[in-house]
Amino acid sequence: MSFDNWLLFLSIALVATITPGPAALLVSTHSVCYGPTKTISTIFGNLTGIFLMSLLSVMGLSTIILYSTTGFFIVKMVGATYLIYVGIKLWRNGLGFNSVHSDIQQPKKQIGLKNLYFQGVLVALTNPKAIAFTTALFPQFIQANEPIIYQFGLLVATFMSCSFFCLSSYAMLAVKASNKLRPMKQQEIGKVFGSTFIGAGVVLAMQSNK
């Protein structure tokens, strides 16, 4: 792969990963609720999902999912249901700023790192937009007459690095923003985040594979 082609891929990957989506929303929420350190598990989960989607893209399996009405519908509805579920929880329970604001004398929210990790994986694997992106993007930059494993490794490493950088940035920005919010407003902010998750779930459910 030429350096120019890699730079082109890098620019496309940066635009794709910096654009807000379900993963950025999930990471931002986890960062506020549980702190940026634990949220690294969510980010690594999302990166795992990206790796799996990229591998499926090279193998051609994601194309089957994308253009199979039943397969696309199942993936879409699982992702949409999860986003709506998280949105309802946030709407009812708030964000729980006690994990970020040290001046609130309440116990921090406890959640396992495996839980956060698999949430990241789930959001990555059930995002039809991400499936379509990897399916359309990777084949354009892989040359059939060159060893695929090396090209695949370079493209995936680049894509995952962009995702890690952007999601980490979202996590830190979310914490900084939450620190400026008054603790008594956590229920109201939870409703805002909850509404955003529910809206994202509804939009995802309405997406078409046509």
Side-chain angles (χ1 to χ4, degrees):
M1 179 182 298
S2 68
F3 183 69
D4 289 341
N5 282 343
W6 178 79
L7 282 180
L8 176 60
F9 178 85
L10 175 63
S11 63
I12 296 174
L14 276 174
V15 172
T17 53
I18 203 172
T19 302
L25 184 58
L26 183 70
V27 165
S28 298
T29 305
H30 281 182
S31 184
V32 172
C33 291
Y34 313 115
T37 301
K38 280 192 172 183
T39 305
I40 293 177
S41 295
T42 308
I43 296 176
F44 278 125
N46 191 261
L47 295 181
T48 301
I50 289 175
F51 176 81
L52 292 175
M53 283 194 300
S54 302
L55 181 61
L56 291 175
S57 174
V58 173
M59 296 173 62
L61 297 180
S62 59
T63 304
I64 297 176
I65 296 175
L66 186 63
Y67 291 101
S68 167
T69 302
T70 302
F72 183 86
F73 178 79
I74 292 174
V75 170
K76 177 181 66 173
M77 293 309 299
V78 169
T81 300
Y82 176 71
L83 291 177
I84 293 173
Y85 166 74
V86 173
I88 293 174
K89 286 187 64 178
L90 289 172
W91 178 274
R92 296 178 60 183
N93 304 325
L95 284 177
F97 288 145
N98 48 321
S99 62
V100 179
H101 295 275
S102 59
D103 56 327
I104 302 179
Q105 301 302 317
Q106 296 180 6
K108 294 183 179 181
K109 284 190 172 183
Q110 299 297 323
I111 188 170
L113 297 181
K114 288 184 179 180
N115 192 327
L116 297 177
Y117 174 83
F118 283 112
Q119 287 187 50
V121 174
L122 178 63
V123 166
L125 292 179
T126 57
N127 186 356
K129 180 180 178 181
I131 296 175
F133 179 81
T134 54
T135 300
L137 183 65
F138 278 84
Q140 303 301 321
F141 289 88
I142 291 181
Q143 299 177 356
N145 59 336
E146 299 291 339
I148 293 181
I149 186 66
Y150 299 111
Q151 299 179 75
F152 174 76
L154 177 60
L155 294 177
V156 173
T158 301
F159 193 37
M160 291 175 67
S161 297
C162 291
S163 297
F164 181 82
F165 171 76
C166 292
L167 291 178
S168 298
S169 299
Y170 273 112
M172 298 307 299
L173 288 173
V175 169
K176 290 182 179 180
S178 68
N179 286 331
K180 297 180 180 179
L181 298 173
R182 293 180 300 171
M184 69 282 294
K185 293 294 185 181
Q186 58 178 293
Q187 286 294 335
E188 287 78 359
I189 301 301
K191 285 181 169 52
V192 172
F193 271 77
S195 299
T196 304
F197 266 98
I198 293 172
V202 171
V203 171
L204 184 61
M206 294 176 62
Q207 286 185 354
S208 171
N209 63 335
K210 300 301 182 179

